[in-house]
């Protein structure tokens, strides 16, 4: 007979070595209480029942034989999974507590109430299987959690229901699939002081990017009320991403993503201490506002780093904020089980082309793409309708959906964030998924042929019909060393983290206009002169998009700096050269509100673009916002690896004017290590290279425009496509000349373009000319690196 002391253990007496006694979840809570409190990590107090208590309960009620017989009947086909689970749960719920175990739980609960200073304190009651939360298996959601439990009798009832939940249908099938012996898995119950997040907020965070494995960001999801809505995926939460290497630098705020979630509802107490909860709509103010302030985001991120450092592996963490005190707490932590096991060597790159009409969009999970037929289901009870290999489309998922999800080729849901059930299980199964689309179940229909693409960054898209999908295996470990630096061309912040494993020497070209077009979407002058805007449709769109920003110009600076920060973070601390905006007037006019501020030009390619805009009264104020975004990126967010490049600078006089304007806006060349480059893409840049070298730190050859302007060929003309040749002798003379001039002047020089990857002999030519760097698209990086190594070897 076990002693009463063997039935319960306080968290502050537990550690990681106690998994066999109290399961992974409770052992982890004890580990944090004992070791991380001194480092500032707040964990609510509590205690755990032991595996001995579970077996004593089982044996006192004669349940071992009941379990063994029921499972044998299921294996031999005499009972279904559902019948087996129902029978076993009923047996547990009818069983009575052994007196000794009941006394132990009552005594420990009374001690916890004394410690908290509240009689009949409300507690959270969570299941922790003794095989749970191991690094090679995720039991997330397999057993039950009961919140808002008050009083010893209610606590004992909740503990009994936890025991019964060891035999839910989903828990049985999961253990069957993983090969766990049901009679060797015990259940511990964690009893933890309840954080009043029902009137505050809560969520989940990972110490690693769950989509790419990028290990230098903390990803935080946040929603109002109890955290079950985030875990279950029934709410679209706010999402924050924090860059870990800059968290320790004083005075910087390295929050690289702040995405406002819809947060349409929240879970709250149904009654005080009654153990029941209910879901209610959120207020307009709650939907429009972020759950967390910047200081709270940074505090949680620092805690995630402390926890990860202590455990020595990426972590999956649940947090809560008490609505009465405003205090933050960590309520669970377990090893992350997907990216931490992913092969860090070779990985797949998908390219989707010949796409049909875009039907729906949401958050992308994974980085694959697949075509197939939609199977639209409302409930997991419709499993008989599901066709193996189909694309599962539904509102959202919970653990009951797992048997269907295992048979799917992709998953699309209306609701949920990156830490929702659908997202977590999709990652573990290796399936592409798009969550939080809002309307997939309304737009898509059964047996519709679609393409699900998660290969285009943070946003995933469902396209009509079957697109062309190409897959390529990339192996960063096989990349040769080169003297010539090979850098990346990046434009899409959403996809930047995909390429962090590539051994690139930095980012040679980050196109600001792409970020403006996709992340900001509004013409900067329409924000600055919003009150004078004549286009009423544009006014309405801008008002809606910038809601929450009293200063509409601040919206531009905030969105642009955060978008660029993800590119800056991907290869930090290596240099990231950001080219200031280089839209043509017709492209600027396509931005929301842009038509009123752009002239109509016969030939925008040779018109009002690049440096000429920055000092013009037509755009000077817009350029000031671009400069503010760069200044924030470097000074306030800490990304001092960011350098600046000026495009389409026609003359030395124009160069002097632009540099003067930049200095007025706080971007003075040479100050705080700021380097400023210029594109070499106009013959005048080549002819006067020594003069440009006096004013800039380096050049980047834009081979497309240089070819166009050297040969007098419109690069977009289909009729002249055969004449457009980067390897024409005249173009090569221009390139060779500017490389020699730059080297003579002591300026750096590189080239950004597709030519080196398409033509091995072109890469050899650049190396022979002595170029410092070549910047290419990520999917061609390895090929170019190999070509450069061969050229250097010659």
């Amino acid at each position: 007979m076990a002693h009463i002391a063997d039935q319960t253990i306080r968290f502050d007496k537990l550690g990681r070595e106690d998994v066999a006694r109290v399961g992974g979840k409770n052992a982890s809570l004890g580990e944090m209480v004992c070791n991380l409190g001194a480092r500032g990590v707040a964990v609510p107090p509590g205690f755990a029942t032991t595996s001995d208590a579970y077996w004593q309960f089982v044996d006192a009620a004669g349940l071992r034989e009941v379990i063994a017989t029921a499972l044998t009947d299921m294996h031999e086909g005499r009972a279904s999974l559902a019948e087996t689970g129902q029978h076993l749960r009923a047996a547990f719920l009818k069983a009575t507590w052994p007196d000794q175990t009941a006394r132990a739980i009552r005594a420990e609960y009374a001690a916890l109430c004394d410690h908290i200073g509240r009689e009949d304190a409300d507690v959270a009651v969570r299941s922790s299987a003794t095989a749970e939360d191991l690094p090679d298996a995720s039991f997330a959601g397999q057993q039950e959690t009961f919140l808002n439990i008050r009083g010893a009798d209610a606590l004992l009832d909740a503990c009994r229901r936890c025991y019964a939940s060891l035999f839910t249908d989903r828990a049985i099938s999961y253990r069957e699939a993983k090969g766990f012996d049901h009679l060797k898995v015990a259940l511990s119950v964690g009893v933890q002081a309840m954080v009043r997040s029902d009137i505050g907020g809560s969520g989940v965070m990972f110490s690693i990017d769950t989509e790419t494995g990028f290990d230098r960001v903390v990803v935080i999801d946040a929603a109002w009320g109890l955290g079950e809505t985030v875990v279950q995926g029934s709410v679209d939460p706010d999402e924050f991403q924090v860059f870990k290497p800059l968290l320790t630098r004083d005075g910087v705020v390295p929050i690289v993503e702040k995405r406002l979630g819809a947060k349409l509802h929240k879970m709250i107490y149904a009654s005080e201490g009654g153990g029941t909860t209910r879901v209610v709509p959120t207020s307009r103010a709650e939907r429009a506002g972020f759950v967390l302030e910047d200081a709270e985001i940074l505090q949680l991120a620092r805690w995630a780093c402390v926890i990860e450092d202590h455990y020595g592996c990426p972590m999956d963490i649940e947090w809560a904020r008490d609505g009465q005190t405003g205090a933050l707490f960590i309520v669970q932590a377990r090893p992350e089980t997907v990216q931490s096991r992913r092969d860090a060597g070779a990985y797949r790159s998908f390219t989707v082309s010949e796409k049909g009409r875009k039907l729906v969009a949401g958050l992308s999970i994974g980085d694959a793409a697949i075509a197939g037929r939609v199977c639209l289901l409302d409930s997991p009870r419709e499993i008989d309708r599901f066709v193996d290999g189909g694309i599962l489309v539904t509102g959202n998922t919970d653990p009951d959906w797992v048997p269907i999800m295992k048979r799917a080729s992709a998953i699309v849901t209306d609701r949920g964030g990156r830490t929702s059930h659908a997202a977590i299980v999709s990652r573990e199964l290796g399936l592409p998924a798009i969550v939080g689309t809002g309307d997939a179940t309304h737009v898509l229909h059964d047996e519709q042929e679609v393409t699900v693409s998660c290969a285009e960054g943070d946003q995933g898209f469902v396209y009509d019909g079957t697109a062309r999908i190409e897959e390529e295996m990339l192996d960063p470990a096989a990349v040769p060393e080169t003297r010539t630096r090979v850098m990346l061309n990046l434009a899409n912040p959403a996809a930047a983290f995909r390429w962090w494993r590539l051994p690139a020497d930095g980012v040679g070209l980050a196109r600001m206009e792409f970020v403006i077009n996709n992340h900001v979407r509004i013409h900067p002058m329409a924000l600055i002169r919003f009150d004078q805007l004549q286009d009423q449709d544009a006014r309405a769109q801008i008002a809606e998009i910038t809601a929450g920003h009293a200063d509409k110009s601040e919206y531009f600076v905030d969105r642009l700096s955060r978008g660029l920060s993800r590119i800056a973070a991907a290869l930090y601390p290596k240099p990231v050269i950001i080219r200031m905006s280089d839209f043509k007037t017709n492209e600027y006019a396509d931005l929301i509100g842009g038509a009123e501020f752009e002239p109509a030009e016969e030939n925008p390619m040779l018109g009002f673009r690049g440096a000429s805009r920055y000092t013009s009264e037509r755009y000077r104020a817009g350029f000031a916002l671009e400069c503010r975004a760069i200044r924030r990126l470097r000074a306030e967010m800490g990304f001092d690896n960011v350098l600046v490049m000026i495009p389409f600078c026609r003359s030395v006089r124009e160069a002097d004017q632009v540099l003067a304007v930049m200095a007025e806006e706080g971007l003075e060349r040479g100050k705080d290590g700021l380097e400023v480059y210029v594109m070499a893409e106009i013959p005048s840049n080549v002819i006067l290279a020594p003069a440009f070298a006096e004013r800039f730190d380096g050049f980047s050859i834009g081979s497309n425009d240089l070819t166009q302007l050297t040969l007098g060929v419109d690069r977009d003309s289909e009729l002249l496509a055969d004449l457009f040749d980067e390897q024409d002798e005249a173009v090569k003379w221009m390139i060779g000349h500017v490389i020699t001039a730059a080297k003579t002047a002591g300026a750096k020089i590189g080239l950004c373009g597709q030519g080196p990857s398409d033509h091995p002999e072109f890469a050899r030519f650049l190396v022979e000319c002595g170029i410092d760097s070549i910047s290419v698209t990520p999917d061609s990086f390895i090929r170019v690196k190999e070509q450069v190594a061969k050229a250097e070897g010659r």
Side-chain angles (χ1 to χ4, degrees):
M1 183 69 70
H3 298 293
I4 192 167
D6 296 325
Q7 308 293 295
T8 60
I9 311 175
R10 290 197 328 233
F11 288 161
D12 59 7
K13 303 296 183 185
L14 288 170
R16 274 186 282 185
E17 66 280 2
D18 293 307
V19 171
R21 288 202 293 169
V22 296
K25 194 177 295 178
N26 290 330
S28 183
L29 285 169
E31 181 75 15
M32 289 191 292
V33 168
C34 294
N35 296 284
L36 301 184
R39 297 179 66 181
V41 179
V43 180
F47 66 92
T49 66
T50 64
S51 56
D52 285 343
Y54 171 79
W55 291 121
Q56 186 159 331
F57 180 92
V58 167
D59 289 337
L63 291 173
R64 281 190 201 253
E65 186 176 346
V66 174
I67 295 168
T69 300
L71 292 171
T72 298
D73 287 347
M74 183 183 74
H75 291 147
E76 294 180 358
R78 290 188 292 274
S80 67
L81 170 63
E83 290 168 337
T84 302
Q86 185 176 24
H87 173 64
L88 290 176
R89 293 192 298 276
F92 270 84
L93 293 174
K94 283 189 292 188
T96 57
W97 285 101
D99 288 344
Q100 189 179 43
T101 308
R103 284 200 309 274
I105 294 172
R106 287 178 182 276
E108 201 65 72
Y109 175 64
L112 178 61
C113 291
D114 287 343
H115 177 76
I116 297 170
R118 279 202 313 271
E119 186 177 355
D120 282 350
D122 49 338
V123 292
V125 181
R126 295 187 171 92
S127 309
S128 181
T130 56
E132 190 173 17
D133 298 334
L134 303 179
D136 61 344
S138 170
F139 277 62
Q142 296 303 317
Q143 281 79 48
E144 298 292 348
T145 292
F146 302 98
L147 306 175
N148 180 29
I149 301 297
R150 182 178 298 174
D153 290 341
L155 173 59
L156 284 168
D157 182 57
C159 290
R160 185 190 289 109
R161 285 188 285 163
C162 282
Y163 283 175
S165 76
L166 194 57
F167 292 95
T168 59
D169 297 356
R170 60 186 183 247
I172 296 170
S173 62
Y174 192 91
R175 289 194 298 274
E176 291 277 320
K178 290 288 184 180
F180 288 103
D181 184 338
H182 300 276
L183 283 167
K184 290 186 179 177
V185 176
L187 194 129
S188 164
V189 179
V191 180
Q192 189 174 36
M194 190 77 197
V195 178
R196 288 301 305 270
S197 59
D198 62 304
I199 52 174
S202 53
V204 178
M205 62 179 171
F206 287 86
S207 65
I208 189 173
D209 180 40
T210 50
E211 303 315 314
T212 65
F214 184 48
D215 57 5
R216 293 191 287 173
V217 286
V218 175
V219 179
I220 304 171
D221 277 4
W224 301 111
L226 300 169
E228 302 309 294
T229 56
V230 178
V231 176
Q232 293 168 0
S234 61
V235 69
D236 295 323
D238 295 340
E239 181 179 314
F240 311 101
Q241 295 186 12
V242 184
F243 189 57
K244 292 192 284 190
L246 295 176
L247 267 173
T248 55
R249 187 181 296 182
D250 291 338
V252 301
V253 183
I255 302 172
V256 299
E257 176 72 292
K258 287 179 73 172
R259 187 184 65 82
L260 188 70
K263 307 184 297 291
L264 296 179
H265 53 260
K266 62 181 179 179
M267 184 180 286
I268 61 171
Y269 290 174
S271 59
E272 288 293 319
T276 55
T277 59
R278 62 192 177 104
V279 174
V280 298
T282 47
S283 67
R284 285 187 178 181
E286 287 173 324
R287 295 174 193 178
F290 286 111
V291 174
L292 295 171
E293 302 286 342
D294 283 1
E296 294 172 318
I297 296 167
L298 295 178
Q299 180 177 341
L300 286 173
R302 291 189 182 101
W303 283 358
C305 293
V306 169
I307 295 168
E308 179 183 61
D309 178 65
H310 179 75
Y311 281 84
C313 65
M315 297 296 288
D316 170 357
I317 302 160
E318 293 182 31
W319 62 270
R321 183 182 62 200
D322 193 298
Q324 293 176 326
T325 65
L328 291 167
F329 294 92
I330 301 299
V331 294
Q332 280 192 42
R334 62 179 74 85
E336 192 272 345
T337 59
V338 177
Q339 285 295 344
S340 53
R341 289 184 294 158
R342 188 172 179 175
D343 182 8
Y347 60 98
R348 300 176 301 169
S349 173
F350 290 84
T351 304
V352 183
S353 59
E354 300 174 17
K355 298 174 281 196
R357 183 169 55 92
K358 188 186 297 179
L359 300 174
V360 296
L363 295 173
S364 69
I365 307 301
D367 53 14
I370 195 152
R373 285 190 175 182
V374 168
C375 190
L376 181 61
L377 301 182
D378 293 325
S379 162
R381 291 189 295 274
E382 297 179 280
I383 188 169
D384 292 340
R385 283 189 50 228
F386 191 78
V387 179
D388 286 354
I391 294 169
L392 172 63
V393 177
T394 190
N396 67 294
T397 68
D398 61 31
D400 290 330
W401 284 90
V402 172
I404 297 175
M405 297 169 79
K406 287 178 178 177
R407 296 165 52 190
S409 62
I411 295 163
V412 181
T413 68
D414 287 342
R415 300 183 296 281
R418 295 191 191 285
T419 55
S420 65
H421 177 270
I424 290 171
V425 173
S426 295
R427 289 187 202 104
E428 188 162 314
L429 295 175
L431 298 177
I434 301 175
V435 300
T437 63
D439 58 0
T441 57
H442 295 284
V443 175
L444 306 177
H445 61 80
D446 251 350
E447 300 190 11
Q448 183 177 8
E449 291 282 351
V450 299
T451 299
V452 174
S453 172
C454 295
E456 300 169 67
D458 279 359
Q459 266 211 307
F461 304 101
V462 178
Y463 298 104
D464 192 19
T466 301
R468 181 180 179 188
I469 300 171
E470 296 175 273
E471 180 181 351
E472 183 179 7
M473 293 300 297
L474 303 174
D475 186 1
V479 176
E481 296 273 343
T482 60
R483 294 186 302 276
T484 307
R485 293 187 302 164
V486 181
M487 307 173 80
L488 300 181
N489 293 337
L490 292 179
N492 185 357
F497 292 169
R498 289 181 61 197
W499 307 106
W500 70 277
R501 287 190 176 95
L502 289 179
D505 294 305
V507 176
L509 175 64
R511 298 178 179 89
M512 182 184 284
E513 63 271 12
F514 188 98
V515 182
I516 293 173
N517 195 40
N518 290 279
H519 280 244
V520 181
R521 298 167 49 208
I522 303 169
H523 196 292
M525 298 304 296
L527 293 165
I528 294 166
R529 299 180 185 167
F530 177 76
D531 292 338
Q532 302 160 35
L533 202 58
Q534 300 299 308
D535 185 335
Q536 295 305 309
D537 288 341
R539 282 179 64 91
Q541 283 188 75
I542 293 170
E544 181 180 352
I545 292 171
T546 61
H549 288 84
D551 177 1
K552 298 199 181 311
S553 296
E554 170 59 21
Y555 165 82
F556 183 94
V557 176
D558 180 62
R559 292 289 291 171
L560 181 55
S561 59
R562 287 199 205 282
L564 292 169
S565 72
R566 289 168 62 84
I567 297 174
L571 294 174
Y572 181 90
K574 295 173 182 175
V576 172
I577 302 173
I578 294 175
R579 188 178 71 187
M580 306 304 275
S581 68
D582 191 27
F583 281 128
K584 287 75 176 175
T585 50
N586 57 323
E587 295 168 334
Y588 265 116
D590 286 339
L591 294 172
I592 298 171
E596 289 184 30
F597 300 96
E598 297 299 329
E601 295 186 297
E602 289 293 328
N603 189 351
M605 188 79 77
L606 295 180
F608 188 48
R609 61 176 285 203
S612 62
R613 297 182 65 93
Y614 305 158
T615 57
S616 166
E617 285 308 308
R618 277 182 173 271
Y619 192 72
R620 167 72 172 76
F623 183 64
L625 297 187
E626 294 182 22
C627 291
R628 274 175 57 189
I630 296 292
R631 195 169 70 243
R632 178 170 299 178
L633 190 59
R634 286 176 51 86
E636 297 175 31
M637 300 179 77
F639 290 102
D640 50 14
N641 62 322
V642 164
L643 315 176
V644 173
M645 184 152 65
I646 303 302
F648 224 77
C649 188
R650 293 173 169 97
S651 69
V652 171
R653 181 172 64 87
E654 200 169 57
D656 290 335
Q657 291 172 340
V658 169
L659 289 168
V661 169
M662 288 176 62
E664 289 175 26
E665 297 300 333
L667 293 180
E668 183 179 346
R669 179 190 168 207
K671 188 175 181 181
D672 299 322
L674 176 64
E675 294 184 5
V676 183
Y677 290 72
V678 66
M679 292 290 293
E681 54 191 343
I682 306 170
S684 61
N685 303 140
V686 178
I687 296 164
L688 297 179
F692 279 100
E694 290 177 8
R695 290 159 173 80
F696 295 99
D697 296 284
F699 298 87
S700 180
I701 302 167
S703 55
N704 282 343
D705 269 331
L706 189 59
T707 301
Q708 172 176 251
L709 296 173
T710 299
L711 300 179
V713 174
D714 181 351
R715 71 189 202 194
D716 292 334
S717 171
E718 294 180 10
L719 295 174
L720 302 176
D722 290 343
L723 296 176
F724 189 89
D725 182 6
E726 290 174 313
Q727 297 195 82
D728 184 277
E729 287 304 315
V731 179
K732 290 173 71 174
W733 185 92
M734 285 281 192
I735 292 172
H737 188 85
V738 76
I739 291 173
T740 300
K743 304 289 278 187
T744 301
K748 299 170 186 173
I749 186 156
L751 180 141
C752 49
Q754 193 64 21
S757 54
D758 292 340
H759 307 290
E761 65 276 15
F762 190 49
R764 185 163 64 245
F765 163 73
L766 294 171
V767 171
E768 289 170 353
C769 287
I771 202 161
D772 294 318
S773 64
I774 299 172
S775 191
V776 296
T777 55
D779 57 346
S780 63
F781 173 83
I782 292 175
R783 289 194 302 276
V784 174
K785 199 68 165 159
E786 291 169 347
Q787 291 159 9
V788 169
K790 287 178 184 176
E792 290 179 347
R794 291 168 68 94

